Amino acid sequence: MKRAFSLVAATLLVTCSAYAQDYPSDSVTLVVPYGPGGASDLAGRALAESAREFLGQPVTVVNQSGAGGMSGARDVSQSEPDGYTLLLARVGMALSPAVNANSSVDWDEYTFLSALEATPMILAVADDSPYKNVEELLEGIESNLGGMSYAASGATAIDGFTVQTLLSDAGLDPLSAATLVPFRGGGALATALLGGHVDFLAIAAGSLMPHIESGDMRPLMVYSPERMAALPDVPTAEELGYELAGQVVGWSALYGPPDLPEDVITTWDTVLEQVAESDSWLSRAEDRGSISTIGSVDMATYAQEQYEFYHELAKEFGYLQ
């Protein structure tokens, strides 16, 4: 009788423990490793809003900027692999270790859950700029080498490479033909152009579209495999024959710390399948000028390809020996 009681108690304990560990039983923290107002923040908040319905728990967005996005990325990669702390990953998670041998997190130190969206970059000037197209802008740069400036979050950040690849494609020195003025976050970058502090920039569409739609900025080119539906008259870098620039594109993905349990991965696979079809996610992506890519690529393979592309670019431009 005593043994039977022990077996029943053990069975109840296991059952209760399994029930207690059902995922998710609490809110999930989504770390956006950049400041508020930029493309990553907008993507993170769109995901949080859309996923809540299918996850059954709130998704809380926490902005944690620093070290070009790698501060937040490092903290997520070192967090408990329980599914309650995830990362709104951006291209910087592949790019930063590609250009920095001492990166605090390597490109593959995560569990890759899914791609989320492709984020076209837009080359833009202020509406009162004298430059009406890319050719005129490049002529202006060439006639005043080092005299014109652009805003970017860093020389080896994605919005630094957008400009540098274009300069290289045009036969100009990618590091000195135009002067980089650093600002933190997409909102600050856009404000720098609007305030006349720089002459041009090439950053994520999500940070620029409101200003383009208001008429305060003029788009000259998009970094995207095809023209943006919202800007049908604006050519792509590839169309204009800019080979390196044509390979630059922003993206968002969902990462977790290494060794996430299978039940967490399976849960998010199911949630993201539903998010991919939701009007909330798709309409907000369209508003940001982004293209949903959930389920379209193997994220681990794509991240490796991105790492290799920027690693070769960094060597070509002299950032790595």
Side-chain angles (χ1 to χ4, degrees):
M1 184 76 176
K2 186 175 181 181
R3 179 181 169 155
F5 176 81
S6 297
L7 286 171
V8 170
T11 301
L12 286 172
L13 180 61
V14 170
T15 302
C16 291
S17 297
Y19 179 80
Q21 292 171 9
D22 282 349
Y23 177 84
S25 60
D26 203 350
S27 63
V28 173
T29 296
L30 179 64
V31 174
V32 172
Y34 301 96
S40 55
D41 184 54
L42 295 172
R45 293 181 188 281
L47 177 63
E49 179 182 306
S50 302
R52 176 174 183 162
E53 174 186 355
F54 310 112
L55 188 66
Q57 292 288 348
V59 178
T60 303
V61 173
V62 175
N63 294 92
Q64 186 179 338
S65 60
M70 299 311 292
S71 176
R74 181 191 62 240
D75 285 357
V76 172
S77 73
Q78 296 175 351
S79 67
E80 188 72 24
D82 55 11
Y84 289 98
T85 303
L86 302 177
L87 178 69
L88 191 287
R90 294 285 288 173
V91 61
M93 275 72 267
L95 190 159
S96 185
V99 303
N100 181 4
N102 298 314
S103 177
S104 57
V105 191
D106 209 346
W107 72 269
D108 58 353
E109 292 186 60
Y110 308 95
T111 297
F112 299 97
L113 290 171
S114 178
L116 293 174
E117 63 176 9
T119 310
M121 316 292 281
I122 301 177
L123 177 68
V125 294
D127 185 54
D128 59 0
S129 169
Y131 306 111
K132 308 298 184 185
N133 54 52
V134 182
E135 184 178 0
E136 290 182 2
L137 176 64
L138 290 171
E139 288 173 353
I141 293 170
E142 188 170 12
S143 67
N144 185 21
L145 291 175
M148 290 181 61
S149 62
Y150 65 98
S153 52
T156 55
I158 181 70
D159 47 28
F161 278 125
T162 50
V163 172
Q164 292 167 39
T165 52
L166 175 62
L167 296 175
S168 179
D169 283 332
L172 300 171
D173 187 317
L175 307 189
S176 65
T179 300
L180 186 156
V181 181
F183 292 88
R184 182 176 293 180
L189 293 165
T191 299
L193 181 60
L194 292 171
H197 303 296
V198 294
D199 298 298
F200 66 102
L201 45 59
I203 68 173
S207 298
L208 296 186
M209 284 305 297
H211 307 295
I212 292 170
E213 290 168 350
S214 70
D216 294 322
M217 289 186 188
R218 179 185 306 131
L220 304 183
M221 183 179 79
V222 297
Y223 296 73
S224 176
E226 56 189 38
R227 294 193 182 199
M228 291 176 57
L231 301 173
D233 298 325
V234 180
T236 68
E238 186 176 2
E239 281 181 66
L240 296 176
Y242 300 120
E243 182 181 357
L244 285 177
Q247 299 178 65
V248 176
V249 65
W251 49 263
S252 298
L254 185 63
Y255 288 2
D259 303 318
L260 277 184
E262 281 301 319
D263 65 319
V264 173
I265 296 172
T266 299
T267 295
W268 276 102
D269 283 346
T270 301
V271 167
L272 290 171
E273 283 177 6
Q274 295 170 297
V275 167
E277 302 295 326
S278 72
D279 290 339
S280 170
W281 171 254
L282 294 173
S283 63
R284 293 186 69 169
E286 185 177 352
D287 290 343
R288 297 191 305 277
S290 297
I291 303 164
S292 178
T293 57
I294 295 173
S296 65
V297 297
D298 178 81
M299 194 57 222
T301 300
Y302 184 66
Q304 182 175 5
E305 291 170 350
Q306 286 285 279
Y307 168 83
E308 291 170 352
F309 171 68
Y310 287 106
H311 188 65
E312 291 303 312
L313 210 56
K315 288 194 291 186
E316 181 178 337
F317 289 176
Y319 292 118
L320 293 174
Q321 298 303 313

